[in-house]
Amino acid sequence: MAMANPLLQVRNLVVEFPTRRGTLTAVDDISFDIAEGEVLGVVGESGAGKSMTGAAVIGLLEPPGRIASGEVLLEGRRIDNLPYEKMRRIRGKEIGAIFQDPLTSLNPLYSIGRQLTETIMTHTDMTPTQARARAVELLAEVGIPAPERRVDQYPHQFSGGMRQRVVIALALCVNPRLIIADEPTTALDVSIQAQIIALLKRLCREHGTAVMLVTHDMGVIAETADRVAVMYAGRIAEIGPVREVIKNAKHPYTHGLMGSIPAIGHDADRLEQIPGSMPRLTDIPPGCAFNPRCLHAFDRCRRDRPELIAVDDGQVSCWLYDTAAGRTTAEAKAIVASRSGTAMERADG
Amino acid sequence: MVSYVIRRLLQAALVMLVVAFVSFSLFRFAGDPVNNMVGQEATQEDRRELRERLGLNDPFPVQFGRFVVDALQGEFGISYRLQRPVEDLIAERMPATLELVLVSAVLALITGIPLGVYCGIHRDSWVSRALLTVSLIGVSLPTFVIGILLIYLFSVQMLVLPSFGRGEVVQIGWWSTGFLTFSGWQALILPSITLSLFQLTLIMRLVRSEMLEVMRTDYIKFARARGLSNRAINFGHALKNTLVPVITIVGLNIGSLIAFSIITETVFNWPGMGLLFIKAVQFADVPIMAAYLTMVAFVFVSINLLVDLLYYAIDPRLKVDRGTAAGRLS
């Protein structure tokens, strides 16, 4: 899918982890774009490579993890091969980050204000007085009451939700173009989650900040994202506009994922579930990584790895949508939507 | 905060009293001082008279009470061997020990902490591996071996540094300092290295392991994501978080530097309190031994108190006022 002027482009990114028992590929040849001001949701199970992708973009892969190949471009400039010092100046200033656990993201020994001013002064020419005024302003913006007083307090004096607001203020303090939010609400109470997501959404809209929102919570994605990328075993299974992916899932994995979400008002006796579990990085099957669990897998799925194929407004990596097979998109979707394991034979015959 | 300090002071006083009691009662069994004080020809009469004069015939509680009351006024009696007030003897010897300890502690801190930080950050570099291996020697070699080795190298073979004594000292009031003369500094080099080597390696290894721990935390990762400079992250965010355990150990170690400089002082014939104590032990000079032990306990108790107060300065979580903490964890 070509985008007019993507802010972030990820091209054929491969992230590897050398271990004693051989090299593991955590992110396997993925490509996607994020437009100015767009919210891209990245969903997947634990270990699908979604957090790794975020860490690779911001250049903070934990060693020995490394980008083995591929490119990351910010406004057309390559940033994945920058020397440490240059990348450091991009982090925080152009790409901000929010991590999962607000309770541990803040240094317990420094006041909130000190952590804010330190970040502001690292990236701008502000004087300490200006930076402090900006810090108070930011705290007010993220909805912290009495910011003039709170600015001098320490992280332990804030509740979990308040701390995540502070973390958001820290990520946004010099107006980055892109924020990578890695499970920003997972560690919080459900009631606080909605507030934090609403805050993040509002701030990013106001500042025109793009967001890469990594989560395993489809509800958060549905509420927040413009587009969503579904990851499975280090690859993108499907990417497209959020309504499209949720209402009209094309990949059998996405379809199964949506079926497993309980819906209020539907009196289903049992939730659907996808049989089996995601393969470990050490034994990803040949062909499509999902094929052992897929109800609709056929020979080719076990042999060749599907690339992303453009379907409607999105892309999906599934051989069912291979135009060379002479199947229409509608037929392929019908197969995915059917629950029977024999659907494939019918379609083939 | 104030009530905390008062509570700690009361505890400290209790500890001191117990230590005074233990050391005083122990030394009653350290041998009969009268035997050493009088000559071979002394008559039974002389001995009895001396015992009476020293108050050794009084009941135990009376002797102990007298000891405590005098100690509170800074008086520890008359040395049996040297026949001079113990407090004067200690005051004479204290500057030598304290200067040695000060130089050793500073040496251990200013080299141990940066080396530990370096090894914590570059854990896999060959330099830090080498340092770690060498530090094992520092941790495991006994002090007297190091001292004798240094003397052999620098005093016997190379003839560059003195092997004993303090060199020339300058008297400032009652304090005699070796800091103001060249020979004083020369004389300080070997003993202070000997005394600090163990502390240095200990501090280095401690800071290293604490740094490794802290570098893995989320707030360091987040600090990186905020684009802070390496210096700010390593020395501002990481090092400060390692300080609480480091201060605990360093504090106790400075205490033991003072208490156990005995060996170094013996090796280098350093005219400090350690040497005074060793000679007092040989002579069963109870007033000096009791005074020394009480003083060492006092040093430890005050350092502990200081360390506890430093925690407050470093970690704001300890000052938590429960109102604003709103029942949060951690």
Side-chain angles (χ1 to χ4, degrees):
Chain A
M1 195 172 81
M3 207 173 277
N5 52 345
L7 175 67
L8 181 83
Q9 293 169 280
V10 174
R11 294 275 162 269
N12 305 100
L13 180 73
V14 178
V15 175
E16 287 182 349
F17 272 83
T19 67
R20 259 173 227 164
R21 273 177 256 141
T23 302
L24 301 180
T25 309
V27 174
D28 191 1
D29 192 20
I30 68 168
S31 304
F32 62 90
D33 292 345
I34 298 179
E36 295 265 353
E38 181 189 44
V39 179
L40 174 75
V42 179
V43 279
E45 296 166 51
S46 309
K50 42 193 204 309
S51 293
M52 284 300 162
T53 310
V57 167
I58 199 170
L60 283 179
L61 282 169
E62 302 268 341
R66 60 187 165 88
I67 297 179
S69 65
E71 296 180 353
V72 179
L73 297 98
L74 184 72
E75 297 177 304
R77 282 174 300 152
R78 254 189 98 167
I79 58 166
D80 58 289
N81 56 357
L82 289 181
Y84 183 87
E85 196 52 25
K86 283 205 168 139
M87 191 60 206
R88 173 177 85 69
R89 287 172 201 284
I90 289 180
R91 280 199 289 268
K93 186 169 192 191
E94 296 181 59
I95 307 180
I98 298 169
F99 294 124
Q100 180 167 352
D101 194 349
L103 300 183
T104 55
S105 285
L106 300 169
N107 190 332
L109 304 188
Y110 289 122
S111 71
I112 300 301
R114 149 97 210 240
Q115 300 190 46
L116 276 161
T117 48
E118 153 188 77
T119 316
I120 295 167
M121 286 165 67
T122 300
H123 297 295
T124 65
D125 297 328
M126 282 192 204
T127 63
T129 326
Q130 288 171 319
R132 194 187 144 88
R134 173 91 181 111
V136 173
E137 201 180 293
L138 276 159
L139 290 181
E141 208 177 339
V142 296
I144 288 181
E148 301 83 6
R149 190 170 59 84
R150 296 291 253 170
V151 73
D152 291 320
Q153 293 188 344
Y154 290 87
H156 68 267
Q157 291 164 302
F158 289 76
S159 68
M162 283 295 164
R163 278 192 232 186
Q164 195 63 310
R165 286 171 192 267
V166 172
V167 168
I168 290 174
L170 275 164
L172 281 168
C173 64
V174 283
N175 276 322
R177 315 292 307 276
L178 171 70
I179 283 196
I180 297 181
D182 190 352
E183 308 266 11
T185 56
T186 310
L188 300 173
D189 272 339
V190 180
S191 54
I192 309 289
Q193 282 184 5
Q195 292 175 16
I196 294 294
I197 285 294
L199 173 74
L200 191 62
K201 211 170 141 179
R202 175 173 66 79
L203 288 176
C204 291
R205 205 173 41 232
E206 284 170 10
H207 295 258
T209 316
V211 183
M212 178 175 161
L213 180 63
V214 176
T215 179
H216 56 249
D217 188 339
M218 279 309 292
V220 167
I221 294 281
E223 239 176 86
T224 319
D226 300 313
R227 286 192 311 136
V228 55
V230 180
M231 287 192 70
Y232 186 81
R235 296 178 62 86
I236 292 179
E238 178 169 358
I239 181 168
V242 69
R243 285 191 65 80
E244 193 69 6
V245 173
I246 289 177
K247 298 270 179 207
N248 200 357
K250 295 181 196 69
H251 196 283
Y253 174 64
T254 322
H255 192 266
L257 208 59
M258 297 307 152
S260 65
I261 299 169
I264 293 169
H266 291 260
D267 256 348
D269 289 337
R270 296 176 66 99
L271 284 174
E272 268 185 70
Q273 67 178 50
I274 309 174
S277 57
M278 196 171 71
R280 273 181 301 183
L281 291 177
T282 43
D283 45 19
I284 290 178
C288 172
F290 187 60
N291 83 66
R293 302 171 71 190
C294 184
L295 294 170
H296 319 292
F298 52 105
D299 285 349
R300 191 160 189 200
C301 303
R302 297 180 190 100
R303 206 175 54 233
D304 300 328
R305 262 220 326 226
E307 297 302 322
L308 282 172
I309 301 163
V311 178
D312 297 342
D313 293 336
Q315 292 166 289
V316 57
S317 63
C318 176
W319 288 122
L320 286 170
Y321 296 86
D322 184 20
T323 42
R327 204 179 295 114
T328 66
T329 306
E331 281 168 349
K333 282 185 193 162
I335 293 169
V336 171
S338 69
R339 299 213 181 116
S340 156
T342 55
M344 202 53 246
E345 279 84 72
R346 267 188 278 124
D348 275 353
Chain B
M1 182 73 189
V2 176
S3 73
Y4 172 81
V5 173
I6 291 171
R7 209 162 57 234
R8 286 307 313 261
L9 282 173
L10 287 176
Q11 281 172 5
L14 191 68
V15 169
M16 288 306 299
L17 205 61
V18 171
V19 167
F21 180 77
V22 168
S23 59
F24 183 78
S25 46
L26 270 183
F27 289 136
R28 284 174 60 81
F29 306 106
D32 187 354
V34 176
N35 276 338
N36 289 315
M37 290 171 73
V38 296
Q40 290 277 324
E41 304 85 33
T43 62
Q44 206 63 21
E45 191 60 28
D46 290 339
R47 285 165 182 265
R48 224 193 54 234
E49 196 183 317
L50 186 59
R51 298 189 78 87
E52 195 59 50
R53 205 171 44 152
L54 290 174
L56 291 175
N57 288 333
D58 293 338
F60 179 79
V62 175
Q63 287 193 44
F64 179 61
R66 196 161 52 220
F67 174 75
V68 171
V69 170
D70 287 350
L72 283 176
Q73 294 159 350
E75 283 169 26
F76 288 92
I78 311 286
S79 160
Y80 298 159
R81 180 172 64 106
L82 300 166
Q83 298 295 335
R84 293 179 49 203
V86 172
E87 56 274 16
D88 290 355
L89 288 168
I90 286 187
E92 250 167 49
R93 300 300 194 100
M94 192 160 1
T97 297
L98 287 187
E99 284 186 358
L100 176 61
V101 166
L102 179 75
V103 173
S104 309
V106 169
L107 199 64
L109 285 172
I110 61 170
T111 40
I113 291 179
L115 285 179
V117 170
Y118 177 87
C119 292
I121 295 164
H122 308 277
R123 62 179 303 184
D124 293 323
S125 84
W126 68 268
V127 178
S128 57
R129 279 165 204 264
L131 278 171
L132 218 56
T133 314
V134 172
S135 74
L136 265 183
I137 300 173
V139 171
S140 47
L141 262 193
T143 315
F144 66 88
V145 175
I146 296 170
I148 290 167
L149 265 172
L150 288 177
I151 289 177
Y152 178 75
L153 264 179
F154 293 97
S155 308
V156 180
Q157 291 295 316
M158 288 152 67
L159 301 169
V160 284
L161 293 169
S163 64
F164 67 90
R166 277 186 89 186
E168 278 178 67
V169 293
V170 176
Q171 209 66 35
I172 302 174
W174 61 275
W175 186 277
S176 66
T177 179
F179 286 165
L180 296 176
T181 60
F182 181 67
S183 72
W185 278 103
Q186 267 189 322
L188 252 174
I189 294 174
L190 292 185
S192 57
I193 289 178
T194 307
L195 192 56
S196 71
L197 210 56
F198 176 78
Q199 313 295 335
L200 191 162
T201 48
L202 192 79
I203 290 170
M204 185 192 112
R205 295 176 76 90
L206 183 72
V207 170
R208 172 186 171 273
S209 64
E210 290 294 326
M211 279 295 278
L212 286 178
E213 194 78 18
V214 170
M215 291 313 271
R216 273 198 294 269
T217 58
D218 285 350
Y219 54 80
I220 294 297
K221 201 172 132 198
F222 189 53
R224 285 197 197 294
R226 287 190 276 144
L228 301 186
S229 71
N230 273 344
R231 212 169 53 106
I233 291 172
N234 294 340
F235 289 94
H237 286 261
L239 184 60
K240 192 166 180 192
N241 273 284
T242 68
L243 282 186
V244 165
V246 169
I247 282 182
T248 312
I249 301 291
V250 167
L252 288 177
N253 272 303
I254 288 176
S256 45
L257 278 180
I258 296 174
F260 307 120
S261 61
I262 296 174
I263 294 167
T264 308
E265 290 188 6
T266 311
V267 170
F268 289 95
N269 203 19
W270 188 263
M273 293 182 292
L275 213 54
L276 183 73
F277 178 72
I278 283 283
K279 288 189 177 146
V281 169
Q282 287 161 0
F283 198 82
D285 198 343
V286 175
I288 288 187
M289 289 194 283
Y292 184 79
L293 274 222
T294 315
M295 193 204 67
V296 164
F298 180 73
V299 166
F300 269 98
V301 166
S302 4
I303 285 178
N304 257 323
L305 190 66
L306 201 68
V307 163
D308 281 350
L309 294 180
L310 273 176
Y311 289 167
Y312 272 87
I314 291 172
D315 198 333
R317 281 170 294 188
L318 297 175
K319 288 181 216 145
V320 75
D321 64 351
R322 301 282 165 195
T324 48
R328 276 294 125 187
L329 298 172
S330 83

